[in-house]
């Protein structure tokens, strides 16, 4: 009897174990044990840190290893040593967030020639096999203008506070922002200038000060970067002159922005879950290096707890995977999010 109970228990345990292993493709898969390099825009930006953490969770579930390496400023040159390190290590794959669409391609192509797969996430590069996009690029750009316009009452001057001037994701979103602004609904709104804070808090704050001085009639700031929006919010929140007078919105981390929502500096902003983005990229690079997918439109792959994803055609006619629609945060929901 006792023996029988143990057998049942052992069988149940085994079934549960197999189920878990199947759900996450499991560390026991025959192709496990690979090393993948994650090369974020920089190693200091909290958004990038959270995204890399998602990648690590995925690769740990798969029985693979993650190395995170990059520079401390948002330039392709600062990422170059990390690409070289991946080549030296004969990494199975590189997951990169591009500070520039092309500058690293000679090195990345060298890696590919030696059998290292390359995917981009967050911000695209031209020589990758697949791009893991946080949300549809056009939707992000257009919805940012819609949000800003609503908060500004569809009138007044505004500036954009971007990240690096060469960042692929920023420039793609800004392109669609400008297209959206051509609609008659926005005829009383004017984009005065685009500032670049390079995803550096001090430079983003300086840019905020500069735009407020240069444009005394400025009514709004649109910052499609988590570093830009949080730096601008910090400055505005301590200013008697500008707090609650300047409309600020963009893409921000709820964890960084909630205090500025509660003190009235910011009403609404948007983002996706950066940890899920990195997690999805981890599963994608592993599937690519296992040969489960080749990076062709129409292929599908399993991404652990996120479910099954399909490779689709991007606006640039190249293959990409889209994480999902962004969230909009306000005072009612901002405290609920962990990232
Ligand atoms: C910053 C970076 C990143 C971007 C987010 C929204 O952290 O510029 O590339 O996707 O903001």
């Amino acid at each position: 009897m006792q023996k029988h109970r143990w057998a049942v228990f052992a069988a149940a345990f085994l079934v549960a174990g197999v189920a878990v292993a199947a759900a996450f493709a499991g560390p026991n898969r025959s192709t496990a044990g690979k090393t993948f390099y994650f090369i974020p825009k920089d190693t200091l930006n909290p958004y990038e840190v959270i995204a890399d953490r998602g990648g690590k969770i995925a690769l740990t579930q798969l029985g693979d290893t993650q190395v995170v390496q990059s520079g401390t400023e948002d330039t392709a040159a600062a990422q170059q040593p990390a690409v070289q390190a991946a080549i030296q290590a004969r990494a199975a794959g590189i997951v990169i967030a591009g500070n520039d669409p092309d500058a690293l391609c000679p090195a990345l192509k060298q890696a590919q020639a030696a059998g290292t797969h390359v995917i981009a996430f967050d911000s695209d590069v031209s020589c990758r096999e697949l791009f893991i996009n946080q949300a549809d690029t056009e939707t992000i750009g257009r919805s940012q203008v819609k949000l800003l316009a609503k908060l500004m009452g569809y009138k007044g001057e505004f500036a954009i506070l971007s990240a690096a001037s060469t960042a692929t994701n920023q420039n793609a979103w800004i392109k669609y922002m400008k297209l959206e602004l051509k609609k008659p609904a926005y005829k009383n709104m004017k984009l005065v200038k685009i500032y670049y804070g390079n995803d550096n808090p001090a430079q983003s704050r300086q840019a905020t000060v500069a735009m407020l001085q240069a444009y005394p009639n400025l009514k709004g700031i649109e910052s499609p970067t988590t570093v830009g929006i949080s730096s601008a919010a910090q400055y505005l929140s301590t200013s008697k002159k500008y707090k609650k007078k300047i409309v600020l919105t963009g893409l921000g981390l709820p964890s960084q922005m909630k205090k500025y929502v509660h003190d009235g500096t910011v009403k609404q902003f948007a983002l996706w879950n950066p940890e899920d983005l990195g997690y999805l990229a981890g599963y994608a690079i592993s599937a690519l290096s296992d040969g489960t997918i080749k990076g062709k439109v129409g292929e599908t792959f399993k991404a652990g707890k996120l479910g099954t994803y399909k490779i689709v055609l991007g606006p640039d006619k190249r293959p990409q995977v889209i994480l999902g629609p962004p969230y909009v945060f306000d005072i009612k929901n901002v405290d609920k999010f962990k990232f």
Side-chain angles (χ1 to χ4, degrees):
M1 185 66 195
Q2 194 67 15
K3 241 188 191 161
H4 174 71
R5 243 191 244 146
W6 266 109
V8 170
F9 179 72
F13 193 76
L14 209 70
V15 168
V18 168
V20 168
F24 296 126
N28 298 326
R29 68 190 225 287
S30 59
T31 49
K34 293 176 180 164
T35 299
F36 296 102
Y37 272 63
F38 271 60
I39 308 181
K41 282 182 164 180
D42 67 68
T43 53
L44 304 177
N45 178 347
Y47 170 96
E48 304 281 323
V49 172
I50 297 171
D52 294 338
R53 187 173 73 210
K56 182 170 184 175
I57 295 169
L59 292 179
T60 306
Q61 285 172 354
L62 287 161
D64 291 320
T65 302
Q66 183 202 49
V67 176
V68 177
Q69 192 177 329
S70 193
T72 53
E73 52 181 51
D74 281 21
T75 62
Q79 291 175 305
Q80 178 83 27
V83 179
Q84 294 305 337
I87 294 172
Q88 286 288 316
R90 298 186 165 275
I94 291 174
V95 177
I96 187 164
N99 283 315
D100 184 292
D102 306 307
L104 284 176
C105 281
L108 290 171
K109 283 182 184 161
Q110 196 190 325
Q112 283 167 317
T116 301
H117 289 280
V118 175
I119 71 174
F121 77 146
D122 181 42
S123 185
D124 209 355
V125 295
S126 60
C127 47
R128 50 65 172 181
E129 291 149 74
L130 191 59
F131 176 44
I132 311 301
N133 202 351
Q134 34 269 63
D136 175 65
T137 305
E138 177 166 2
T139 308
I140 297 175
R142 290 189 187 271
S143 61
Q144 286 287 287
V145 168
K146 287 178 192 160
L147 193 57
L148 177 75
K150 190 184 77 184
L151 296 168
M152 285 177 66
Y154 292 84
K155 44 173 200 290
E157 294 182 353
F158 74 97
I160 292 177
L161 173 56
S162 183
S165 64
T166 51
T168 325
N169 58 347
Q170 294 285 319
N171 291 334
W173 297 333
I174 291 170
K175 177 183 131 192
Y176 285 111
M177 287 184 204
K178 287 180 173 168
L179 287 175
E180 178 69 15
L181 281 168
K182 290 204 165 112
K183 290 185 180 167
Y186 311 109
K187 63 179 188 303
N188 295 324
M189 284 176 67
K190 188 178 175 211
L191 168 60
V192 290
K193 191 173 168 173
I194 302 172
Y195 287 80
Y196 298 96
N198 297 310
D199 275 348
N200 170 298
Q203 288 176 36
S204 303
R205 183 188 174 93
Q206 264 166 28
T208 307
V209 174
M211 67 179 74
L212 290 165
Q213 272 168 9
Y215 298 96
N217 295 324
L218 201 74
K219 264 193 67 185
I221 302 173
E222 154 56 37
S223 188
T225 134
T226 58
V227 180
I229 192 175
S230 57
S231 306
Q234 192 197 28
Y235 178 72
L236 295 179
S237 71
T238 55
S239 159
K240 269 212 177 84
K241 186 166 170 199
Y242 298 119
K243 186 175 176 183
K244 298 189 184 173
K245 302 225 167 55
I246 299 287
V247 169
L248 170 64
T249 190
L251 300 172
L253 288 166
S255 58
Q256 288 188 317
M257 296 302 293
K258 59 184 174 195
K259 56 176 172 291
Y260 306 118
V261 172
H262 286 293
D263 78 4
T265 307
V266 173
K267 285 214 160 63
Q268 284 185 323
F269 63 100
L271 200 72
W272 42 88
N273 184 341
E275 189 177 289
D276 286 348
L277 179 69
Y279 184 92
L280 181 56
Y283 269 88
I285 192 70
S286 171
L288 200 58
S289 90
D290 277 2
T292 320
I293 53 169
K294 300 262 174 266
K296 299 261 179 315
V297 172
E299 288 175 328
T300 58
F301 63 98
K302 288 207 173 81
K305 64 170 185 186
L306 295 177
T308 299
Y309 276 80
K310 192 177 190 156
I311 302 178
V312 297
L313 203 64
D316 55 0
K317 304 274 175 280
R318 297 191 304 149
Q320 66 166 353
V321 177
I322 296 179
L323 175 65
Y327 308 94
V328 175
F329 310 100
D330 59 20
I331 200 156
K332 286 197 234 94
N333 67 4
V334 73
D335 296 325
K336 288 189 200 138
F337 293 85
K338 281 201 304 263
F339 51 88

